[in-house]
């Protein structure tokens, strides 16, 4: 079980959280302007990174707030935790 | 073509008389050549099988399978070996039943006992909704010629005596769907059998060879791969890399609708035969069977986050064991010997992709999520067909990458609500 650093509450066990997948996928401002390829890619395409991965979590059974973490998917080590809108931490990936 | 040492009762006796000193290794430890007609990336059951069918059924002579670890060390050796084809949609039941039919003759074709056992797969219904969903599946399956039948709790108990059908428990069993042709097979033997048979057809099986890049010419066509053992040229490359599919396909600039999750399984200490079939429960999320060694083989759900670590959280396994103890109270005192995780690549609609890609010469077999083992012979054959003919077989034609662009989902995730 991961020990997840909520930027509002501190370290809490994984079972208090919900996972939100890859972070920073912005909804296109004008969806109708996209062709099918771009829209399909927005909906379903994922980087699925093997390495430092920016991802959304929600502290569902705590403060209930969304935030982001940077986690290395090769080791599950959490490298950084940051609030929505904070500057992005460096991935350290080559 | 290499001379394969055939296994039979006669050869067993003959080698026994020589104190078993004459057995040869099952496949050569091949070193990479500079050029192949076709390369398959990934030495699991799907990849080895694809190489075998390319050589046997499609006449390709110069083939290599590249495996970054060892044969059968990935998901092929990490799953719970359940085989069934009772999927809801026409496309899915045709695809999975293609594989189930190939399991029937696989041991003979490979001259290797894969221990396929049609012991039946029973899916338990605990709620009215479960019953409605399963009955819908049964009707859809029967229209597609796939066997699946409804059992009352008493009939389920008669087929699988250890079941607890007490109506007073928290999730009582109100019925079950049974696919009698479903069952299990020995997962390692599937990988080894395909490896040995492919090797005998001249396929080079190259272990400890990690692909690090996919080379393309100016037009974008695939011309070979870079590996940890040097560059290898090939005009056709098939990717069958399971949890690492996104990573490998990324080398050709393709971004797929995949996420890789850890999926855990565990086995108990071995006991005498106690569980005659496979039992699955989607509502309380557990599946269990007994291996021929006597271990109870138990599968959990995926962990919630993407990962490549091949391990998961203990609370996931605990949740599954609680469910098992609910259905089978007599297993409460059994000790678990090992647990492990594999990395499964999951698509948004929980159906696989077996297709040509937008890169000429590059083919992919991925997205099997939590249920790829059952499809091994079928997926292998269809990947081989797609690579050899540069066009999909009718059975895998709907399983494209483009369905996520066009919206033609094969949505087993929502409609089946099953633990694949």
């Amino acid at each position: 079980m991961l020990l997840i650093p909520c930027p509002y509450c501190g370290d809490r066990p994984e079972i208090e959280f919900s996972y939100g997948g890859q972070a920073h996928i912005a909804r296109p401002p004008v969806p109708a302007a996209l062709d099918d390829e771009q829209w399909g890619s927005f909906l379903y395409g994922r980087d699925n990174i093997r390495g430092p991965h920016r991802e959304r979590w929600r502290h569902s059974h705590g403060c209930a707030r969304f935030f982001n973490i940077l986690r290395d998917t090769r080791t599950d080590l959490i490298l950084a935790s940051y609030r929505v809108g904070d500057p992005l931490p460096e991935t350290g990936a080559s | 073509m290499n001379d394969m040492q055939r296994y039979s009762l006669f050869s067993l006796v003959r080698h026994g008389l020589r104190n078993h000193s004459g057995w040869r290794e099952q496949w050569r430890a091949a070193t990479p050549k500079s050029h192949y007609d076709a390369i398959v990336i990934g030495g699991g059951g799907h990849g080895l099988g694809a190489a075998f069918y390319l050589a046997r059924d499609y006449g390709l002579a110069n083939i290599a399978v590249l495996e970054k670890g060892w044969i059968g060390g990935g998901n092929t050796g990490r799953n719970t070996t359940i085989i069934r084809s009772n999927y809801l949609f026409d496309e899915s039941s045709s695809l999975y039943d293609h594989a189930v039919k190939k399991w029937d003759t696989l041991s003979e074709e490979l001259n290797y006992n894969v221990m396929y056992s049609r012991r039946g797969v029973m899916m338990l219904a605990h709620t009215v909704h479960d019953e409605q969903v399963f009955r819908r599946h049964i009707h859809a399956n029967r229209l597609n010629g796939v066997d699946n039948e409804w059992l009352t709790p008493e009939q389920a108990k008669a087929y699988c005596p250890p079941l607890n059908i007490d109506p007073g428990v928290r999730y009582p069993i109100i019925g079950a769907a049974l696919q009698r042709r479903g069952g299990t097979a020995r997962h390692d033997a599937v990988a080894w059998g395909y490896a040995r048979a492919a090797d005998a057809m001249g396929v080079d099986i190259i272990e400890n060879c990690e692909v690090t890049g996919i080379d393309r010419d100016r037009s974008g066509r695939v011309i070979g791969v870079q590996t940890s053992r040097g560059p290898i040229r090939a005009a056709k490359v098939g990717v069958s890399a399971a949890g690492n599919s996104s990573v490998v396909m990324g080398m050709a600039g393709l971004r797929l609708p995949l996420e890789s999750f850890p999926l855990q399984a565990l086995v108990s200490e071995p006991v005498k035969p106690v569980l005659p079939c496979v039992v699955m429960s989607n509502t309380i999320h557990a599946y269990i069977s007994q291996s021929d060694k006597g271990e109870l083989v138990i599968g959990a759900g995926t962990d919630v986050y993407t990962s490549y670590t091949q391990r998961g959280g203990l609370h996931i396994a605990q949740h599954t064991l609680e469910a098992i103890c609910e259905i089978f109270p007599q297993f409460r005192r059994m000790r678990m010997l090992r647990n492990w995780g594999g990395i499964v690549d999951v698509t948004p609609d929980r159906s696989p992709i077996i297709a040509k890609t937008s890169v000429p010469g590059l083919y992919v077999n991925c997205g099997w999520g939590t249920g790829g083992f059952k499809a091994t012979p079928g997926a292998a054959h269809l990947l081989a067909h797609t690579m050899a003919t540069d066009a999909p077989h009718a059975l895998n034609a709907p399983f494209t990458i483009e369905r996520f662009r066009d919206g033609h989902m094969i949505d087993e995730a929502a409609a089946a609500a099953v633990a694949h």
Side-chain angles (χ1 to χ4, degrees):
Chain A
M1 189 182 301
L2 303 179
L3 186 64
I4 297 177
C6 170
Y8 303 95
C9 308
D11 289 348
R12 297 295 180 89
E14 178 195 327
I15 49 173
E16 293 187 12
F17 297 85
S18 331
Y19 183 64
Q22 184 182 338
H24 311 301
I25 299 177
R27 185 181 170 85
V30 186
L34 269 55
D35 63 22
D36 289 352
E37 196 76 54
Q38 293 165 323
W39 183 243
S41 178
F42 161 69
L43 286 179
Y44 302 118
R46 292 294 178 270
D47 294 339
N48 199 19
I49 287 167
R50 187 173 70 189
H53 183 239
R54 290 197 176 97
E55 58 196 18
R56 291 186 307 168
W57 287 81
R58 181 171 182 239
H59 196 183
S60 315
H61 302 287
C63 62
R65 283 197 263 197
F66 282 95
F67 61 97
N68 301 309
I69 69 174
L70 178 67
R71 181 177 54 91
D72 193 326
T73 60
R74 293 167 298 189
T75 59
D76 288 342
L77 271 179
I78 294 168
L79 308 171
S81 165
Y82 56 104
R83 300 178 187 199
V84 174
D86 280 356
L88 302 188
E90 289 298 317
T91 62
S94 52
Chain B
M1 181 144 336
N2 303 311
D3 175 35
M4 186 168 83
Q5 194 170 37
R6 287 193 66 79
Y7 297 152
S8 64
L9 181 61
F10 176 70
S11 71
L12 184 65
V13 171
R14 188 158 49 86
H15 284 285
L17 292 173
R18 296 183 199 157
N19 214 18
H20 293 293
S21 58
W23 296 109
R24 291 205 312 265
E25 61 192 0
Q26 296 190 359
W27 61 88
R28 297 163 293 132
T31 48
K33 290 190 281 190
S34 63
H35 174 268
Y36 291 95
D37 295 337
I39 283 176
V40 179
I41 301 174
H46 286 219
L48 293 164
F52 169 71
Y53 292 116
L54 276 171
R56 192 194 69 174
D57 297 347
Y58 296 96
L60 271 71
N62 192 19
I63 306 168
V65 177
L66 309 183
E67 165 57 45
K68 77 180 166 96
W70 66 95
I71 292 309
N75 292 351
T76 297
R78 291 168 182 268
N79 67 85
T80 53
T81 78
I82 297 169
I83 294 166
R84 63 184 180 89
S85 59
N86 51 355
Y87 284 72
L88 179 64
F89 292 114
D90 297 355
E91 298 90 338
S92 314
S93 63
S94 309
L95 179 73
Y96 288 98
D97 213 49
H98 178 58
V100 168
K101 286 174 186 152
K102 289 183 103 62
W103 281 111
D104 277 338
T105 54
L106 192 60
S107 291
E108 288 83 359
E109 287 179 57
L110 299 180
N111 179 233
Y112 206 95
N113 186 3
V114 300
M115 297 166 74
Y116 172 46
S117 158
R118 282 180 165 193
R119 60 186 64 182
V121 172
M122 181 185 290
M123 301 172 75
L124 301 178
H126 301 278
T127 65
V128 172
H129 178 69
D130 278 350
E131 179 173 350
Q132 290 169 340
V133 168
F134 286 165
R135 284 187 184 275
R136 183 180 174 209
H137 273 68
I138 288 167
H139 294 315
N141 290 155
R142 289 175 67 170
L143 288 173
N144 281 319
V146 174
D147 73 302
N148 198 1
E149 63 192 89
W150 179 255
L151 303 182
T152 63
E154 293 71 28
Q155 288 170 323
K157 174 100 179 153
Y159 193 81
C160 181
L163 275 184
N164 176 19
I165 58 166
D166 183 345
V169 300
R170 186 171 174 194
Y171 296 103
I173 293 167
I174 63 171
L178 175 68
Q179 185 177 24
R180 292 179 190 270
R181 284 193 306 146
T184 60
R186 171 87 198 277
H187 51 5
D188 296 321
V190 175
W192 299 335
Y194 270 127
R196 172 171 166 270
D199 177 82
M201 307 284 300
V203 173
D204 278 359
I205 294 164
I206 304 165
E207 297 173 83
N208 301 309
C209 182
E210 181 171 3
V211 171
T212 54
I214 294 175
D215 295 333
R216 299 157 70 185
D217 66 13
R218 283 169 183 275
S219 68
R221 167 168 281 283
V222 166
I223 54 171
V225 295
Q226 298 289 328
T227 77
S228 56
R229 297 177 71 172
I232 305 173
R233 294 177 72 83
K236 290 188 178 197
V237 174
V239 177
S240 195
N244 284 293
S245 295
S246 294
V247 177
V248 176
M249 297 300 280
M251 295 169 189
L254 295 177
R255 185 170 178 260
L256 295 181
L258 292 177
E259 289 187 297
S260 296
F261 293 94
L263 179 68
Q264 298 182 63
L266 55 163
V267 295
S268 74
E269 58 192 329
V271 290
K272 290 194 173 178
V274 63
L275 188 63
C277 63
V278 180
V279 178
M280 308 176 66
S281 165
N282 306 322
T283 294
I284 55 180
H285 210 116
Y287 37 109
I288 183 168
S289 64
Q290 187 173 23
S291 74
D292 291 347
K293 277 191 289 187
E295 301 159 325
L296 296 179
V297 182
I298 297 167
T302 57
D303 281 71
V304 299
Y305 50 82
T306 62
S307 181
Y308 289 84
T309 57
Q310 295 187 315
R311 60 174 181 261
L314 197 56
H315 62 291
I316 302 287
Q318 181 187 346
H319 175 77
T320 296
L321 289 175
E322 285 165 357
I324 294 293
C325 292
E326 167 95 17
I327 308 168
F328 302 103
Q330 65 271 47
F331 294 163
R332 278 192 183 137
R333 293 172 65 185
M334 293 199 51
R335 282 161 292 196
M336 294 298 135
L337 288 192
R338 303 187 300 280
N339 76 326
W340 64 90
I343 301 303
V344 297
D345 46 324
V346 177
T347 56
D349 64 359
R350 302 299 189 274
S351 287
I353 296 167
I354 316 171
K356 289 173 67 169
T357 69
S358 56
V359 175
L362 185 66
Y363 308 85
V364 68
N365 167 42
C366 68
W368 287 95
T370 59
F373 178 77
K374 65 174 76 70
T376 301
H381 169 247
L382 296 171
L383 176 62
H385 180 95
T386 307
M387 287 177 70
T389 61
D390 196 38
H393 190 280
L395 289 170
N396 67 306
F399 294 87
T400 60
I401 303 174
E402 289 76 22
R403 74 177 187 268
F404 298 98
R405 176 194 68 195
D406 301 336
H408 293 157
M409 305 293 175
I410 304 158
D411 209 346
E412 291 292 345
V418 297
H420 294 293

